[in-house]
Amino acid sequence: MTNSQIDKIIAKYEGKSGVLIQLLLELQRELNWISPEAVKRINEKLGIPISEIYRVASFYTALSLEPRGKYLIRVCAGTACYIRGGLRVLDAAEKTIGIKAGETSSDLKFTLETVNCLGCCALGPVVEINGKYYGTVTPKRLEEIICRKRSEK
Amino acid sequence: MRQNAEVVEDKTEKSEYVTLTIDGIEVKARKGTPLLEVARQIGVEIPTLCYYSFVSPYGSCRLCSVEITTKSGRNRIVTSCNYPAEDGLKVETKSEKVIMVRKGILELLLARCPKVVRVKNLAREYGITEPTLWVSDQDEDCILCGLCVRACKELIGVSAINFAMRGVKREITAPYHKFSDDCIGCGVCALVCPTGSRKIRQHTYATIAPLKGPKDENIGVNIDIFSAHSPDSLDGFVKAVIAAGLKSGLLDSVVLAKRKNSFAAEAVIIENSEDFLNCSLANSVRIKIVSTLMDAIAKGKRKIAFIGLPCQVRAARKIEQTLQKEIPDLEITSIGLFCLNSFNPKKLVEKINSLFKVDEKQIENISVKDGKFIIQAKSKEHSVALEKLDAAIENGCVYCNDFPAFFADLAIGTAGSEPGSVTVIVRTDKGKMLLEKANFTRDIAQKDDVVRLSDFKKNRAKEHTAPILKEIYAQRSRKGE
Ligand code: SF4
Ligand code: FES
Ligand code: FES
């Protein structure tokens, strides 16, 4: 995303107050992360101190200060999923992609995270990929899903 | 800001008075005053860690907890630093319940900061000598009270540091754990911090090791001070010196604020002397320049000239002092420009617009002379006394006491010299070496002029910090520290 695109998004919020979170969420959606460049632009255009933007961006898990992959894979490690083997599913994901939970693959295709309960424990182990939920996931099945996503253009 | 809040209060509530009792003493207070202040007025002491009257209350340390019973009979524990006085309130500051709550809080604080003297002393007063809870970090020294954050934001107005992360990872830091672009090195954060935390010193310029050498009170450390002839005044002289340094290989780059138009500037890295001679210095605006200096270092530059305002020079010095441990061959030669205060471009444009009815785009030149601010627009000259522009002074400048760039290698400015000359203070050998590469004729500088301005700036800063210091010292003596 170019600077002018960032500016375009920021422009929508100019002259309004109390919009930082909304603005950051929109940038996150479009850019997949809150880049230092974007932070700088917000500071210049809206006059919000950089430390304030950083405070908010580092507080919310929905906002990322590092680039996130195209696919955000969140493996549930909440109690129910944990008991049903959630960690083995996580293991499989880590091995298949070659990164640890909390990391992003170097081709920016995958970001792997754990979450504590996605609110559908009966379906455990649960994995969420870009908002889509997968129930009773086995290590093998997740491996297949990842391979499919990887080979796609 | 707190002050604003009070003004608003006055208008709406017409200073309504209420009656309440504190530890059985009946007291009249203005409605809305924090209970803590009311208690202090009648000599009732309540311990605090995160409260000063000159910043907004935040209620994070919980130490000032008191027990209240409202008119309707509701009884509970509240933090007195941010609980407003209301009619018929019964406040107990030393009841059994209060003592129990405070003990609990101190247990927690001591487990977080087992080595912090202030916390240890307070805990001891409540009979706690050793942490009884799990200590996760023996060296933790921040209680996350946010006093530094509030002082930086509300008093100084720069917001260089803030909270970051959340939960157990919550911390105080400059953005990205990097050297701050906004910190002006006023040191107020360190002053208000109840624990003397080192966190705030990491990426700010609150503390810097002083330069060594012979020292004048108002001029600072110096090995030489003189006036140099320079037909092109300040700009010309600085350029000649740096260009000679670049040509001779004494420098490999220069980081400076380059003028874009009358008020806007951008921070740039320049590597060769021709490019440098072609750009124009912006010396009266405070822009973010530290990150550009860091970029230069990351690019492998090792002999960097840094041109900046006194506050920015502090930053450069601190960065040099800190990084030299890892990068021993790093040398930053700082050229500090005398500064009484910088102006906020936005506020200044507005002010000029209302004074002279000229548009920003019509301004051809700006200069400061004999206490006057002069602008050229549409081939006409307008001038105004500097005091008239006080409202446009950049945030925090009035708290800064550094006129002659105390931490620079070379400090340069027009004060103390005739038109067509500039005053040069040589503070270090590094500065001296750089000067040797340039050609100019020298004269005697009017030191007194520099001293006078330096003194003025120091006093202005003192005036602004005096009430803060008074409260801080009162607080410390209250704790018997
Ligand atoms: S650094 Fe000091 S002032 Fe800032 S939050 Fe921590 S304890 Fe409070
Ligand atoms: S524990 Fe996994 S969805 Fe609740
Ligand atoms: S002084 Fe009131 S909560 Fe810290």
Side-chain angles (χ1 to χ4, degrees):
Chain A
M1 176 168 270
T2 65
N3 287 340
S4 69
Q5 280 169 298
I6 296 178
D7 285 350
K8 223 186 241 161
I9 297 178
I10 296 174
K12 290 201 260 173
Y13 296 85
E14 250 169 286
K16 298 181 197 158
S17 64
V19 293
L20 184 58
I21 295 178
Q22 291 312 317
L23 166 58
L24 288 174
L25 279 171
E26 182 166 349
L27 283 168
Q28 174 76 42
R29 257 196 318 274
E30 299 300 323
L31 256 80
N32 236 352
W33 69 307
I34 307 297
S35 65
E37 193 54 40
V39 171
K40 206 174 126 199
R41 297 261 156 180
I42 298 174
N43 166 258
E44 282 166 11
K45 302 268 170 207
L46 306 189
I48 302 170
I50 295 201
S51 73
E52 182 72 15
I53 306 168
Y54 184 77
R55 178 181 71 81
V56 173
S58 66
F59 184 87
Y60 294 102
T61 36
L63 302 169
S64 169
L65 285 158
E66 260 140 48
R68 270 195 188 157
K70 185 169 168 215
Y71 294 104
L72 174 60
I73 305 181
R74 303 165 85 199
V75 180
C76 183
T79 315
C81 294
Y82 184 95
I83 291 172
R84 294 183 186 205
L87 288 199
R88 256 180 289 134
V89 174
L90 177 67
D91 250 6
E94 289 187 338
K95 279 208 195 85
T96 320
I97 311 174
I99 56 173
K100 291 255 165 273
E103 294 177 349
T104 297
S105 62
S106 54
D107 61 356
L108 289 187
K109 199 125 202 197
F110 300 105
T111 293
L112 187 60
E113 276 176 4
T114 59
V115 345
N116 298 320
C117 192
L118 287 163
C120 45
C121 312
L123 296 177
V126 181
V127 173
E128 181 208 333
I129 302 178
N130 284 5
K132 193 171 165 209
Y133 286 60
Y134 297 77
T136 50
V137 178
T138 59
K140 183 127 201 313
R141 179 144 162 255
L142 185 57
E143 197 185 313
E144 278 164 22
I145 297 173
I146 291 171
C147 289
R148 213 176 322 127
K149 302 252 184 242
R150 180 184 284 148
S151 56
E152 125 198 331
K153 275 270 129 43
Chain B
M1 241 202 253
R2 178 112 208 282
Q3 271 129 6
N4 296 345
E6 272 193 347
V7 175
V8 175
E9 226 171 67
D10 278 351
K11 268 191 207 139
T12 50
E13 300 185 5
K14 277 257 159 38
S15 315
E16 196 187 316
Y17 279 83
V18 293
T19 312
L20 57 156
T21 65
I22 298 184
D23 290 351
I25 307 166
E26 198 175 282
V27 46
K28 255 188 154 98
R30 208 163 76 213
K31 190 175 172 183
T33 318
L35 292 183
L36 179 75
E37 290 289 348
V38 183
R40 277 187 182 168
Q41 274 159 28
I42 57 165
V44 171
E45 285 301 334
I46 299 172
T48 63
L49 277 175
C50 74
Y51 176 81
Y52 280 122
S53 72
F54 51 77
V55 287
S56 55
Y58 190 53
S60 60
C61 77
R62 318 307 288 174
L63 204 61
C64 66
S65 292
V66 295
E67 184 177 354
I68 58 163
T69 313
T70 62
K71 238 186 196 167
S72 57
R74 187 158 177 238
N75 173 287
R76 61 188 174 124
I77 296 281
V78 298
T79 43
S80 60
C81 68
N82 59 359
Y83 195 92
E86 61 189 44
D87 206 39
L89 210 59
K90 273 205 195 76
V91 184
E92 293 294 335
T93 72
K94 293 179 185 65
S95 68
E96 220 173 285
K97 207 163 159 192
V98 169
I99 303 296
M100 201 186 69
V101 167
R102 270 194 213 140
K103 260 192 180 164
I105 292 161
L106 283 163
E107 291 268 10
L108 290 164
L109 285 170
L110 192 64
R112 178 164 174 100
C113 300
K115 287 186 186 160
V116 168
V117 180
R118 177 105 176 256
V119 172
K120 273 162 75 177
N121 287 348
L122 277 164
R124 197 169 314 117
E125 272 177 48
Y126 285 78
I128 308 158
T129 48
E130 286 294 320
T132 49
L133 303 167
W134 180 61
V135 176
S136 69
D137 180 359
Q138 283 288 342
D139 293 317
E140 178 59 66
D141 62 5
C142 172
I143 58 169
L144 297 172
C145 70
L147 264 178
C148 51
V149 172
R150 282 173 283 152
C152 189
K153 176 177 178 183
E154 299 173 17
L155 228 45
I156 310 302
V158 301
S159 272
I161 46 173
N162 213 323
F163 289 102
M165 315 299 279
R166 68 158 142 189
V168 290
K169 290 196 184 138
R170 195 157 195 247
E171 61 176 340
I172 299 288
T173 179
Y176 302 99
H177 300 96
K178 283 189 179 157
F179 284 108
S180 168
D181 251 324
D182 294 315
C183 174
I184 59 168
C186 67
V188 167
C189 51
L191 214 54
V192 296
C193 177
T195 65
S197 174
R198 60 191 142 58
K199 298 260 157 72
I200 31 186
R201 302 197 169 102
Q202 258 156 22
H203 297 103
T204 67
Y205 321 113
T207 49
I208 308 168
L211 299 183
K212 292 193 189 86
K215 193 174 160 184
D216 271 296
E217 205 211 326
N218 278 316
I219 304 257
V221 170
N222 67 87
I223 49 182
D224 197 2
I225 169 167
F226 61 89
S227 180
H229 284 293
S230 161
D232 212 0
S233 198
L234 191 88
D235 221 64
F237 183 76
V238 173
K239 276 179 166 176
V241 171
I242 302 268
L246 284 169
K247 250 195 210 135
S248 68
L250 201 62
L251 303 171
D252 62 13
S253 59
V254 47
V255 171
L256 74 151
K258 178 177 156 187
R259 192 173 292 292
K260 283 208 289 196
N261 58 42
S262 38
F263 297 110
E266 62 180 337
V268 292
I269 309 170
I270 294 181
E271 291 166 36
N272 80 47
S273 53
E274 269 112 79
D275 290 352
F276 179 65
L277 288 170
N278 284 332
C279 82
S280 130
L281 296 183
N283 52 25
S284 51
V285 284
R286 199 172 81 207
I287 59 161
K288 299 188 198 308
I289 193 169
V290 169
S291 44
T292 309
L293 174 62
M294 296 308 289
D295 287 347
I297 298 172
K299 270 175 140 185
K301 299 290 173 233
R302 290 297 175 262
K303 294 180 278 183
I304 306 168
F306 177 84
I307 309 173
L309 301 169
C311 53
Q312 297 167 331
V313 164
R314 294 175 76 92
R317 184 63 75 191
K318 171 83 180 228
I319 288 168
E320 187 187 46
Q321 285 172 2
T322 315
L323 294 186
Q324 261 175 355
K325 284 165 216 149
E326 296 153 41
I327 316 174
D329 59 339
L330 176 67
E331 257 186 21
I332 302 171
T333 309
S334 306
I335 318 292
L337 308 167
F338 296 174
C339 172
L340 212 47
N341 49 250
S342 56
F343 287 107
N344 179 292
K346 243 196 207 137
K347 291 190 212 159
L348 191 59
V349 167
E350 275 165 28
K351 197 82 208 176
I352 287 177
N353 215 317
S354 73
L355 281 172
F356 312 124
K357 309 268 168 298
V358 296
D359 192 68
E360 184 187 352
K361 294 193 189 70
Q362 300 164 329
I363 298 171
E364 287 137 20
N365 191 26
I366 41 178
S367 54
V368 175
K369 209 187 262 162
D370 302 328
K372 282 213 176 84
F373 187 86
I374 307 158
I375 63 163
Q376 245 110 27
K378 291 189 280 184
S379 336
K380 261 201 357 230
E381 196 175 281
H382 307 264
S383 77
V384 58
L386 273 177
E387 306 96 77
K388 290 264 162 61
L389 297 175
D390 276 2
I393 290 181
E394 188 67 271
N395 290 341
C397 285
V398 294
Y399 289 90
C400 166
N401 61 11
D402 187 351
F403 172 74
F406 290 120
F407 286 90
D409 293 290
L410 291 175
I412 301 176
T414 49
S417 289
E418 297 293 316
S421 291
V422 292
T423 305
V424 182
I425 306 175
V426 187
R427 302 196 185 281
T428 64
D429 291 335
K430 215 166 33 170
K432 194 171 152 199
M433 258 159 63
L434 181 58
L435 270 189
E436 278 162 9
K437 303 278 176 236
N439 293 319
F440 53 87
T441 48
R442 44 185 292 165
D443 216 331
I444 294 169
Q446 299 301 313
K447 224 169 152 175
D448 289 354
D449 288 353
V450 183
V451 169
R452 198 167 37 81
L453 288 166
S454 181
D455 203 47
F456 168 83
K457 194 170 181 185
K458 270 194 179 166
N459 284 329
R460 182 176 64 185
K462 252 192 217 146
E463 253 167 55
H464 281 85
T465 32
I468 304 169
L469 282 176
K470 203 172 144 210
E471 200 178 325
I472 293 174
Y473 290 144
Q475 164 88 6
R476 287 187 188 165
S477 62
R478 195 178 286 138
K479 294 277 139 39
E481 279 159 35

